[in-house]
Amino acid sequence: MSTQHRVVFPSARAFGVLVLAASLLLGSAAMADDHEAKESGDTWLPSLITETPQEGFALAVTLSQKGVGTTQPDAEVRKALRPEYAEDPDSLIAASHVIATHFQTVAAANDYWRE
């Protein structure tokens, strides 16, 4: 007796809204930092290395925000889309998933903060 498993992928629009949610739920600090970095010529991401897991998580949030800001650079468009996902549990969970994926990358880069 075989059991079939069906994988359901979100539509491109749903995925876009989910990624957008990750950024807007957590504020626009990363966008301000990016603007300042461009003005001064600084690199906004010199390294994935962080001192602590908490700093690593903050970096994962920033990576999520940067991804959305790069995908949709118009802050007004991002703001206008917020009502579409702000109260949708699936969108909020998906936004958390994007951050978790970035956190996995940062944790691996930091050898999981082993000493």
Side-chain angles (χ1 to χ4, degrees):
M1 180 175 184
S2 90
T3 303
Q4 292 182 344
H5 297 280
R6 187 175 140 194
V7 177
V8 179
F9 294 99
S11 68
R13 182 173 173 10
F15 181 74
V17 168
L18 298 175
V19 172
L20 180 60
S23 173
L24 294 177
L25 287 171
L26 299 165
S28 61
M31 295 305 294
D33 290 345
D34 187 41
H35 178 71
E36 290 173 14
K38 286 180 183 176
E39 296 277 320
S40 67
D42 293 335
T43 300
W44 73 269
L45 183 62
S47 175
L48 292 177
I49 304 304
T50 63
E51 291 294 318
T52 66
Q54 187 168 343
E55 288 178 8
F57 182 79
L59 178 55
V61 169
T62 299
L63 290 170
S64 299
Q65 292 169 327
K66 292 287 192 178
V68 172
T70 299
T71 303
Q72 177 47 267
D74 188 329
E76 290 302 314
V77 171
R78 293 191 311 269
K79 185 176 179 181
L81 291 173
R82 184 176 180 130
E84 290 187 37
Y85 65 81
E87 296 183 24
D88 178 10
D90 291 334
S91 292
L92 299 174
I93 290 167
S96 295
H97 181 81
V98 171
I99 294 168
T101 300
H102 287 306
F103 185 66
Q104 288 176 332
T105 301
V106 173
N110 284 279
D111 196 24
Y112 304 93
W113 295 275
R114 291 188 182 123
E115 291 187 21

